[in-house]
Amino acid sequence: GAGVSQSPSNKVTEKGKDVELRCDPISGHTALYWYRQSLGQGLEFLIYFQGNSAPDKSGLPSDRFSAERTGGSVSTLTIQRTQQEDSAVYLCASSPRDTEAFFGQGTRLTVV
Amino acid sequence: QKEVEQDPGPLSVPEGAIVSLNCTYSNSAFQYFMWYRQYSRKGPELLMYTYSSGNKEDGRFTAQVDKSSKYISLFIRDSQPSDSATYLCAMSGIRWGNNNDMRFGAGTRLTVKP
């Protein structure tokens, strides 16, 4: 497909386990963003990748969160030792320069 | 105080009503203002995009920006049940894709009843 693809769509994990969330951006988009959306809250910025530049990790809430982007394309968000407060929808968006971004459908993470 | 304030609702209106959705903000550097629509279990999709102050119309949707009051609005005329979704306002200082200063409201959940 031509859109941003995220996998899995849903993930249920036990507290303390590690999880990996994947984002396939639109081909050719240089910018990639991860956001977290909790019930009743706006989108919380997590991390931003732009081309080959060093990522902006200023939004990551703790050192349990990390992300990488391989070859300027696919990105993986990793959450180590998950906690219940990590339960949320994790959204990925990609964008070419100077225009709006396109969101994936999100990964709904539930930590039990 | 949050940079962007948006009443989460929920807001319920009858079909055909005019809907008014609003956000206020505190950062005077914001120049780009957007409205996203998010259907249940889907990602947000861009609905309207406005630069600086003024109005922009697209079909049944009108976006207004009043920078002097730091207030933006989205109006939906002749609302339809298919408009039922969560509407998020978003704003930034420079165009998206160049940085990460986009800020989002909490989203207003709208239901249009037939």
Side-chain angles (χ1 to χ4, degrees):
Chain A
V4 177
S5 179
Q6 291 186 246
S7 59
S9 298
N10 289 281
K11 176 71 176 178
V12 180
T13 190
E14 293 181 352
K15 179 182 175 181
K17 299 286 188 182
D18 297 352
V19 294
E20 285 189 352
L21 312 180
R22 178 186 169 104
C23 174
D24 282 276
I26 294 172
S27 177
H29 282 193
T30 57
L32 188 148
Y33 302 77
W34 283 98
Y35 287 87
R36 179 167 69 176
Q37 187 177 32
S38 303
L39 190 64
Q41 304 294 317
L43 272 64
E44 176 189 5
F45 166 75
L46 297 177
I47 188 168
Y48 163 65
F49 296 90
Q50 176 58 268
N52 295 321
S53 301
D56 181 341
K57 305 178 181 181
S58 61
L60 295 178
S62 77
D63 59 8
R64 296 186 296 105
F65 288 72
S66 63
E68 62 179 19
R69 189 179 184 191
T70 54
S73 181
V74 173
S75 178
T76 302
L77 177 68
T78 301
I79 308 174
Q80 296 178 312
R81 304 181 303 281
T82 52
Q83 304 295 312
Q84 287 185 330
E85 60 263 29
D86 299 334
S87 296
V89 176
Y90 289 81
L91 290 161
C92 173
S94 73
S95 169
R97 280 196 180 272
D98 294 331
T99 188
E100 72 272 14
F102 297 85
F103 282 90
Q105 82 281 10
T107 293
R108 184 175 298 272
L109 175 66
T110 304
V111 181
V112 296
Chain B
Q1 180 189 9
K2 292 182 181 179
E3 279 191 285
V4 181
E5 297 278 0
Q6 182 177 12
D7 185 342
L11 180 62
S12 181
V13 301
E15 183 176 356
I18 296 174
V19 177
S20 173
L21 305 168
N22 312 290
C23 290
T24 59
Y25 63 96
S26 57
N27 188 343
S28 58
F30 289 144
Q31 296 192 80
Y32 295 89
F33 303 92
M34 285 137 286
W35 286 95
Y36 281 82
R37 179 174 61 194
Q38 185 176 22
Y39 290 114
S40 180
R41 297 189 175 269
K42 300 289 186 182
E45 56 178 341
L46 184 67
L47 191 60
M48 298 283 287
Y49 171 79
T50 309
Y51 172 71
S52 195
S53 287
N55 296 355
K56 186 173 185 179
E57 187 173 322
D58 183 1
R60 297 184 294 109
F61 298 88
T62 300
Q64 287 186 352
V65 175
D66 182 348
K67 290 187 70 179
S68 63
S69 301
K70 297 189 177 66
Y71 188 86
I72 70 171
S73 300
L74 177 71
F75 297 96
I76 307 174
R77 292 184 300 280
D78 188 25
S79 55
Q80 303 294 309
S82 58
D83 296 328
S84 298
T86 296
Y87 291 80
L88 300 106
C89 62
M91 48 201 77
S92 67
I94 65 176
R95 290 200 71 167
W96 215 3
N98 289 317
N99 75 339
N100 67 333
D101 76 343
M102 182 74 68
R103 295 293 179 264
F104 288 84
T108 299
R109 187 170 182 178
L110 171 69
T111 300
V112 181
K113 296 185 175 180

